[in-house]
Amino acid sequence: MTKLFFIVSVFIGASSLQVNGQTTPIPTKYELLVDYIYEGARPYSEGMAPVQLDGKWGFINAEGNLQVEIIYDEVKWFSHGLAAVKKDRVWFFINEQGKKMTPDLDKVNYFGDLIKAKKNGLWGAWDYDLNEVIPFEHDYFFIEDNRFIKPESGMTMMDRKQGILTFAGDTIIPQEYLSIKYGDGFFLVGNHDMKYAYFNEQGEQVTEFLWGIFDAVPFKDGVASYCSDDNCQLVDQQFNVLLDGYYSMGEGYGDLIPAGTGANTMGVINYKTKKWVVEPKFEYVSVNDNGMFTCMSDRKYGVYDAEGNEIVPMIADDHILCYDNMAVIENEDDLVGIYSLITGKSLPMEYQKITGDENGNLWLLKKNGKWSVMNCELEILCDEVLVDDYPGIGENKLMVKNEAGKYGFLIFR
């Protein structure tokens, strides 16, 4: 059913990229993996991609060959070797050979390391070995940290009631609170008076209900900050004060945390050394999980690295999106550009849209209504490809379509 052939090969010089501690080759050429024969398609996940013919869905494998029959009314993506499919108005999970692995289900959800499902009108969860870890006896719940259940009732904000249970159904925090957030061993619990307190994992309240919704944050990397009366403190998990006397503090990364010395005067401080990494001279600072900081001053945004070096100048008109190896910047005309955080190369803010794959290896650029593909060295691999408005890219494979609206896949190597 599918065809495999080359349409072009573009070599740019082999190199590799470090992503989450792993070496990933940077693509330098592309080929047509799957011909334009499908009515619909979705991105690859775990070497499998959903494809549609005659209104039904199935899956192709990493070589572009049909592996799971095209017989389903709806499908989701593969995760841990399982995919949810819908047939004859019921959901169930199949493996990569198309074998049915679960009973019929009302609804399904993937949630971290768990499968959340509704069976016979009640919600529960399996792990990916299909062991039942949450009994199917709940009206509805959220999952916190892959260890706790957060049931919720109430249709409006102020009627909402949340609590925390173990997977076995034992109560940790009674279901009577407005909001509960978990972080690093502690729950940040909000009551219906809009005050917040910290509870430990045993459900014991360890602070008073003092702070408003914007004045306290969950623990992260062993620390949390909270503010009252224009004074902010950073505490460890024994609630020892690490930093004190600041106007504001936010969520940090590692030993680094944004801190302000006054209104609209923010910087980044190492709370262990008590030394500034970025001096408090900005109106706004946000710390990314890769240790880089987005800063704003005079309504212009830039990026600093974990050592306090400016790596993207203060030229963007809107908030900058930082990835592991790229920063996407935007001007006042809603046009975007890109900075490589690895090579320092950049593209000007003249694109309508920029989006990347899960590794930051491949990027799609939209300009004058047309899309092109580049690698993280900012080298264009192909021009004027037809894709959906939200391009489907994953595992170095791009979902493309032709003028007739038929879908295929390119593979980048």
Side-chain angles (χ1 to χ4, degrees):
M1 184 180 294
T2 61
K3 298 180 182 179
L4 176 63
F5 57 90
F6 294 89
I7 51 175
V8 67
S9 295
V10 185
F11 293 90
I12 303 175
S15 55
S16 60
L17 172 69
Q18 287 286 329
V19 179
N20 297 324
Q22 296 183 346
T23 300
T24 304
I26 295 176
T28 58
K29 61 180 182 179
Y30 70 94
E31 310 157 11
L32 185 66
L33 177 68
V34 178
D35 203 0
Y36 299 92
I37 60 174
Y38 293 108
E39 298 168 357
R42 293 177 188 159
Y44 269 87
S45 174
E46 295 189 358
M48 304 282 280
V51 291
Q52 185 186 44
L53 274 178
D54 299 325
K56 299 293 185 179
W57 290 87
F59 291 88
I60 57 175
N61 60 23
E63 289 72 43
N65 301 315
L66 185 65
Q67 182 157 322
V68 176
E69 288 184 276
I70 302 178
I71 59 174
Y72 300 106
D73 302 320
E74 182 60 272
V75 297
K76 294 181 181 287
W77 59 95
F78 269 90
S79 179
H80 299 78
L82 298 173
V85 297
K86 187 178 184 182
K87 187 179 181 184
D88 299 329
R89 298 186 179 181
V90 296
W91 287 92
F92 52 91
F93 280 83
I94 60 172
N95 64 14
E96 292 174 349
Q97 287 70 49
K99 181 181 177 181
K100 185 177 180 179
M101 303 298 292
T102 67
D104 293 344
L105 304 166
D106 305 329
K107 294 182 179 180
V108 294
N109 248 324
Y110 304 168
F111 209 105
D113 294 330
L114 297 174
I115 296 168
K116 180 179 170 184
K118 188 177 185 182
K119 182 174 64 171
N120 299 324
L122 294 172
W123 287 90
W126 293 293
D127 62 22
Y128 279 92
D129 292 323
L130 298 180
N131 301 307
E132 185 179 287
V133 293
I134 300 176
F136 284 81
E137 57 186 30
H138 299 279
D139 293 332
Y140 195 70
F141 63 86
F142 298 93
I143 298 173
E144 292 284 317
D145 193 50
N146 282 317
R147 293 187 294 152
F148 305 107
I149 303 171
K150 184 167 71 174
E152 179 178 299
S153 62
M155 300 300 292
T156 65
M157 177 72 172
M158 294 311 295
D159 291 334
R160 180 187 298 162
K161 292 183 179 180
Q162 296 183 348
I164 295 292
L165 309 176
T166 66
F167 279 180
D170 299 323
T171 298
I172 299 176
I173 297 175
Q175 190 177 344
E176 58 187 46
Y177 293 101
L178 175 66
S179 172
I180 301 177
K181 300 176 183 179
Y182 178 81
D184 219 6
F186 288 86
F187 299 99
L188 181 60
V189 180
N191 63 22
H192 285 77
D193 292 327
M194 304 299 287
K195 298 295 184 182
Y196 280 71
Y198 292 97
F199 288 61
N200 63 23
E201 288 187 354
Q202 290 71 49
E204 300 165 335
Q205 184 177 336
V206 294
T207 69
E208 298 180 57
F209 280 95
L210 293 175
W211 306 286
I213 189 169
F214 300 112
D215 300 326
V217 298
F219 274 88
K220 180 183 177 184
D221 295 327
V223 298
S225 65
Y226 48 77
C227 303
S228 59
D229 299 328
D230 293 336
N231 178 58
C232 292
Q233 293 182 326
L234 184 75
V235 297
D236 62 19
Q237 291 179 307
Q238 288 72 47
F239 289 86
N240 299 311
V241 176
L242 304 175
L243 286 178
D244 192 15
Y246 292 89
Y247 182 85
S248 61
M249 283 190 284
E251 189 175 276
Y253 176 81
D255 298 339
L256 308 177
I257 193 163
T261 55
N264 299 323
T265 309
M266 296 287 294
V268 176
I269 195 169
N270 184 311
Y271 67 81
K272 288 185 177 178
T273 65
K274 307 294 193 296
K275 293 183 178 179
W276 291 101
V277 177
V278 175
E279 292 288 334
K281 58 183 179 181
F282 301 102
E283 299 168 41
Y284 167 86
V285 174
S286 174
V287 180
N288 303 293
D289 282 347
N290 57 10
M292 296 179 183
F293 321 125
T294 302
C295 304
M296 187 268 284
S297 185
D298 296 327
R299 299 192 177 185
K300 295 291 183 181
Y301 292 82
V303 177
Y304 286 70
D305 66 17
E307 285 73 46
N309 303 307
E310 183 184 81
I311 54 175
V312 177
M314 307 286 290
I315 59 173
D317 294 314
D318 205 343
H319 190 76
I320 297 174
L321 296 176
C322 276
Y323 301 90
D324 285 337
N325 59 355
M326 293 285 187
V328 177
I329 61 177
E330 185 175 337
N331 67 16
E332 60 185 5
D333 297 320
D334 295 329
L335 296 176
V336 292
I338 200 164
Y339 266 80
S340 170
L341 303 179
I342 298 173
T343 65
K345 297 178 181 178
S346 64
L347 294 177
M349 290 177 282
E350 59 186 26
Y351 296 91
Q352 296 162 296
K353 188 181 291 186
I354 295 177
T355 185
D357 69 357
E358 72 276 12
N359 293 322
N361 249 350
L362 291 169
W363 293 82
L364 283 94
L365 314 159
K366 186 178 183 182
K367 185 177 181 180
N368 300 325
K370 297 179 180 180
W371 289 89
S372 56
V373 183
M374 72 175 187
N375 64 18
C376 60
E377 297 281 353
L378 306 194
E379 300 285 353
I380 300 296
L381 301 184
C382 59
D383 274 320
E384 298 191 12
V385 293
L386 286 176
V387 298
D388 287 336
D389 286 339
Y390 296 94
I393 187 168
E395 300 181 1
N396 282 6
K397 300 176 183 72
L398 173 64
M399 189 178 78
V400 292
K401 60 183 179 181
N402 61 15
E403 296 286 352
K406 297 290 187 178
Y407 288 85
F409 283 89
L410 301 181
I411 182 170
F412 293 81
R413 305 184 190 275

